[in-house]
């Protein structure tokens, strides 16, 4: 059974950079697309972008200038970097796997809450 | 980017009710639509994929229909475990977007 686990700091100061890691167990990250999705408290879901196991990626235009995603196949991890944080970036951050049989998310991490505050 | 509009935003219903949630896409997305259920403090859970395919393990009271720009999620007989928020999600050209969500509340 595939499991995804996000890790990273729970509290980050404004203007700083957020780094999150999603560790995948139970299956290799190869041959899959991986998304980062976030959800501000009490609000809906927003796709931040995707990365393929080869390293190709694309990001939400509203965040593109601040986002970098990477993949480490040897560690079975995908990572997210978000710069110049503001309070508006406070959210639960999820990693999710795109199904091999269609463009939907068939496995999700539990999510990690990131609070941006001084 | 393709926008997804869900309606209603909130729905009050009783156990046993038939419930329908609608999702409209701003462009034709064929059948590239999924539905998720989310409960407080939990990650979303896949219910329906490719507009009408029931995910393994999901109760048969959930069903999806539609294609192109109009889609529906139906719960044939609402159970107490179904009170949650539901999201549609579309895929088009390496871009994924969600609807704003529909909260199903106890009437």
């Amino acid at each position: 059974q595939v499991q995804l686990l996000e890790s990273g700091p729970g509290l980050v100061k404004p203007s700083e950079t957020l780094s999150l890691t999603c560790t995948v167990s139970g299956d290799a990250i190869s041959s899959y697309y991986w998304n980062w999705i976030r959800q501000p408290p009490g609000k809906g879901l927003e796709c931040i972008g995707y990365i393929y196991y080869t390293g190709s990626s694309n990001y939400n235009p509203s965040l593109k200038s601040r986002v970098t995603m990477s993949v480490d196949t040897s560690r079975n991890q995908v990572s997210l970097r978000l710069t110049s944080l503001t309070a508006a970036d406070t959210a639960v951050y999820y990693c999710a796997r795109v199904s091999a049989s269609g463009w939907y998310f068939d496995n999700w991490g539990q999510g990690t809450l990131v609070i941006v505050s001084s | 980017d393709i926008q997804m509009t869900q309606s209603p935003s909130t729905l009050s219903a009783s156990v046993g009710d038939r419930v329908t949630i609608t999702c409209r896409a701003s462009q034709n997305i064929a059948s590239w639509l999924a539905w998720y259920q989310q409960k407080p403090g939990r990650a979303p859970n896949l219910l329906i994929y490719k507009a009408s395919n029931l995910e393994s393990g999901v109760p048969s009271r959930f069903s999806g229909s539609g294609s192109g720009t109009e889609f529906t999620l139906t719960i044939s007989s609402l159970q107490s475990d179904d009170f949650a928020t539901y999201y549609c999600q579309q895929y088009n050209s390496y871009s994924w977007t969600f609807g704003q969500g529909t909260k199903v509340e106890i009437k």
Side-chain angles (χ1 to χ4, degrees):
Chain A
Q1 183 180 352
V2 178
Q3 290 191 315
L4 289 66
L5 184 63
E6 304 90 347
S7 59
L11 179 65
V12 187
K13 290 182 170 54
S15 80
E16 293 189 342
T17 295
L18 172 66
S19 293
L20 296 177
T21 298
C22 176
T23 301
V24 180
S25 59
D27 198 358
I29 65 171
S30 302
S31 301
Y32 289 103
Y33 288 84
W34 302 88
N35 266 252
W36 285 94
I37 297 159
R38 70 180 184 177
Q39 184 172 38
K43 296 189 177 179
L45 299 161
E46 178 184 38
C47 287
I48 299 170
Y50 80 84
I51 187 163
Y52 193 41
Y53 78 102
T54 57
S56 65
S57 60
N58 197 18
Y59 309 134
N60 186 321
S62 69
L63 298 168
K64 195 168 188 173
S65 64
R66 300 194 290 129
V67 173
T68 305
M69 296 182 186
S70 59
V71 61
D72 186 336
T73 54
S74 66
R75 295 187 176 190
N76 233 34
Q77 292 178 333
V78 293
S79 296
L80 169 71
R81 187 171 178 267
L82 184 64
T83 63
S84 304
L85 293 175
T86 70
D89 295 310
T90 293
V92 175
Y93 286 74
Y94 296 100
C95 62
R97 190 182 79 171
V98 180
S99 170
S101 62
W103 301 103
Y104 52 91
F105 305 117
D106 63 355
N107 280 277
W108 294 68
Q110 64 185 17
T112 186
L113 174 62
V114 175
I115 298 172
V116 181
S117 175
S118 55
Chain B
D1 284 1
I2 295 177
Q3 307 301 318
M4 305 301 293
T5 304
Q6 272 183 249
S7 60
S9 297
T10 306
L11 187 160
S12 296
S14 302
V15 172
D17 284 353
R18 181 180 181 88
V19 167
T20 299
I21 299 168
T22 298
C23 188
R24 289 189 176 87
S26 60
Q27 298 176 35
N28 186 344
I29 57 170
S31 295
W32 294 118
L33 186 103
W35 290 96
Y36 302 84
Q37 177 193 69
Q38 187 180 33
K39 295 183 178 179
R42 304 289 297 273
N45 183 52
L46 177 68
L47 299 174
I48 302 285
Y49 62 94
K50 292 182 187 176
S52 61
N53 292 270
L54 192 68
E55 172 71 348
S56 176
V58 174
S60 59
R61 63 181 179 271
F62 291 93
S63 64
S65 63
S67 66
T69 61
E70 293 260 345
F71 302 87
T72 60
L73 172 70
T74 299
I75 309 172
S76 60
S77 179
L78 196 67
Q79 301 302 301
S80 57
D81 191 47
D82 302 337
F83 291 99
T85 300
Y86 294 84
Y87 293 94
C88 62
Q89 167 253 310
Q90 70 83 28
Y91 165 79
N92 178 264
S93 299
Y94 295 100
S95 175
W96 291 261
T97 52
F98 290 91
Q100 78 274 23
T102 295
K103 186 175 183 179
V104 177
E105 298 181 327
I106 300 173
K107 192 172 184 179

